[in-house]
Amino acid sequence: MTPYSLAFYVDVVTTGTVLGARPTDSPERLGEVLGTDYAENVSGRHHMWRDHGLVEFFWERDRPTDPWSGHHFTLQVHRLAHRRRSLVGAALRDRYGRFAPRLRYDTLRRLLDRRGVPLLEIPEAAANTPYFRTFWQPDSRVAVRVIGTYGRYSTPDRLRVGDVHSIQAPVSGPDEFRDRPSG
C-alpha cells in the first residue's frame, strides 16, 4: 500500500485522471467529482479554469454560446509547500488522507517503475532551462515538472532540487509541452 498522497500521484500519472475526472470532462462533471469549493476564473469569453487549490482544470470554447470544452488539468504540487490545510479539497482528503508538503521526484519515479509505468525526460522550454526538468508518461499523456536547479527568481523558494513542481495532462508529446504555458 502506497501511503497518503503518494497513491494519489501514482493514480494521476498512471491514468491521466483526477479521481476519474478526465481533462475533457465538463465543469459540471468536475463539480460532481471534486465538489463546489473552487475559484472560477474566466479569461475573456473563450477560456475558463477552476482552481480547487491543488488541482486546476481548464476549458475553452470558440464562441460564448458554445459549451465549454475541457483542455487540460494541472496539479499545482508546489502550493503544498505553503502548508495550508485547506489547499487539498475534501474529496482528495477523504480518498487519500493527508498530503505531504513536498513530493520528491525520485520517490514518485520509484513507485511508478515498480508498476511498470515509465517516465521519459523530454526537452524543456529554453526559458525554463536549467531550472526545470520535465518527464512524460506516453500512455497516460501526463507530464511531471521537477525542479532541476535552484534559481533565485526562477523557482519557488520553498522547494528543493528534485521536488515535483507540477503535474499536467494531457500532453501529446515533447513538442506540445515545450510550447505550452506552464499554467
Side-chain angles (χ1 to χ4, degrees):
M1 177 72 178
T2 303
Y4 306 117
S5 57
L6 291 175
F8 169 67
Y9 300 121
V10 168
D11 287 349
V12 170
V13 173
T14 302
T15 67
T17 68
V18 175
L19 293 176
R22 298 180 315 268
T24 55
D25 282 345
S26 69
E28 294 76 24
R29 166 78 173 123
L30 187 64
E32 294 168 6
V33 173
L34 291 179
T36 57
D37 187 16
Y38 56 81
E40 186 170 282
N41 304 280
V42 178
S43 175
R45 297 178 181 184
H46 305 287
H47 297 45
M48 176 178 72
W49 70 100
R50 285 191 179 166
D51 183 343
H52 288 262
L54 175 61
V55 181
E56 293 179 340
F57 270 75
F58 296 78
W59 295 271
E60 60 189 6
R61 61 185 177 187
D62 290 331
R63 294 181 303 274
T65 56
D66 290 343
W68 291 108
S69 175
H71 188 268
H72 74 280
F73 69 77
T74 302
L75 303 183
Q76 301 289 3
V77 180
H78 60 95
R79 292 178 180 171
L80 292 167
H82 293 279
R83 299 179 182 263
R84 287 194 338 257
R85 291 181 55 86
S86 62
L87 184 70
V88 178
L92 293 178
R93 282 194 318 272
D94 290 349
R95 172 87 180 266
Y96 295 100
R98 69 179 178 86
F99 279 65
R102 287 185 185 83
L103 171 60
R104 297 295 297 164
Y105 173 73
D106 290 343
T107 302
L108 177 62
R109 178 137 200 182
R110 187 172 52 255
L111 292 169
L112 291 166
D113 284 346
R114 287 183 191 159
R115 288 162 176 80
V117 179
L119 288 173
L120 312 171
E121 187 161 13
I122 61 175
E124 186 64 58
N128 295 330
T129 304
Y131 306 109
F132 294 92
R133 296 173 65 193
T134 299
F135 300 86
W136 181 58
Q137 206 306 303
D139 294 329
S140 64
R141 300 173 50 200
V142 172
V144 179
R145 180 171 269 162
V146 179
I147 303 297
T149 189
Y150 176 75
R152 184 169 182 188
Y153 299 109
S154 300
T155 58
D157 289 334
R158 296 178 183 199
L159 295 185
R160 299 180 297 232
V161 171
D163 284 343
V164 172
H165 177 270
S166 57
I167 298 173
Q168 186 174 342
V171 174
S172 296
D175 292 335
E176 178 190 358
F177 188 81
R178 186 177 43 235
D179 297 336
R180 180 183 286 181
S182 60

